[in-house]
Amino acid sequence: MDSFRFRGGRLCLDFVATVGHRGMDAVERLIAPADLARWFAAAGMAPTVPEISAQELEDARALRESLFEVFTAHRLAQEIPASPLATVNAWAVRPARTHRLEIAADGRLRQVNGAATLQTLLAELARDAVDLLGGPLAERVHVCEQDPCSQLFVDTSRAGHRRWCAMETCGARAKMAAYRARRAAPPS
């Protein structure tokens, strides 16, 4: 199984990336409920997630695809499809995890997150998407230009012209391919 990718700059975009190579031979990274639990742990959202059922995995995939459709329509300046938007909004209004302060052994305050459920974690992802699409970075959501990567990412560069999800992976491959093409070209 392919590893998870965290190159989007936002958790909602990294969640969308649990399907890789969209538009070609798509790679599904959430095959079993345990994969979804692993993703939440890898994302740092919850070290442990209660048992996830097959139906809950399908619910998570439905949210993921709705997020992809909404981000894609927005990015391409197309009409936002009503059903995916309704799905994202339905998850975004669900109750959040509780957070509280406690005094640590050293006397300092620390934040303690309440127990995570699949519903609260998916709601956090939906709210992250609402925050991103409703905020100043909405126009900076791009898709990686390196074929076959299809990762959506937030371009936080100063100029706003980033082309790849990550320089150390896709950017390096693109630059190496361009270098090789220049070297293979006959001198002019």
Side-chain angles (χ1 to χ4, degrees):
M1 177 161 126
D2 211 347
S3 62
F4 298 126
R5 288 169 170 73
F6 294 94
R7 300 187 291 229
R10 292 293 284 260
L11 285 174
C12 59
L13 298 178
D14 292 331
F15 185 60
V16 169
T18 59
V19 169
H21 307 292
R22 288 181 183 268
M24 299 191 62
D25 294 326
V27 176
E28 173 64 69
R29 295 182 177 102
L30 300 179
I31 297 169
D35 298 328
L36 181 57
R38 275 187 329 102
W39 186 86
F40 282 118
M45 291 183 72
T48 59
V49 178
E51 192 73 27
I52 298 171
S53 71
Q55 180 56 54
E56 289 172 321
L57 175 61
E58 288 306 312
D59 293 344
R61 286 178 181 161
L63 172 60
R64 177 192 63 197
E65 295 311 305
S66 293
L67 289 168
F68 176 73
E69 290 181 49
V70 171
F71 275 110
T72 299
H74 180 269
R75 194 176 55 75
L76 299 174
Q78 297 173 344
E79 183 177 338
I80 305 296
S83 180
L85 182 61
T87 298
V88 171
N89 284 333
W91 278 104
V93 298
R94 291 186 181 209
R97 274 193 286 182
T98 58
H99 303 286
R100 61 185 171 81
L101 292 173
E102 75 177 21
I103 300 173
D106 64 2
R108 294 179 178 213
L109 288 174
R110 69 178 180 139
Q111 178 179 314
V112 178
N113 296 329
T117 66
L118 179 65
Q119 288 72 34
T120 60
L121 294 171
L122 292 176
E124 286 177 34
L125 292 171
R127 279 191 290 279
D128 186 41
V130 168
D131 180 62
L132 179 54
L133 287 168
L137 295 176
E139 304 308 317
R140 291 213 171 191
V141 175
H142 305 299
V143 66
C144 183
E145 291 182 15
Q146 177 63 24
D147 192 38
C149 184
S150 60
Q151 170 90 40
L152 294 172
F153 66 93
V154 179
D155 179 359
T156 56
S157 68
R158 176 177 238 159
H161 298 294
R162 200 169 107 200
R163 298 173 51 200
W164 307 291
C165 61
M167 188 60 208
E168 59 275 4
T169 54
C170 291
R173 282 187 211 115
K175 288 186 175 232
M176 183 54 76
Y179 171 77
R180 287 182 181 142
R182 283 191 309 273
R183 299 276 297 172
S188 54

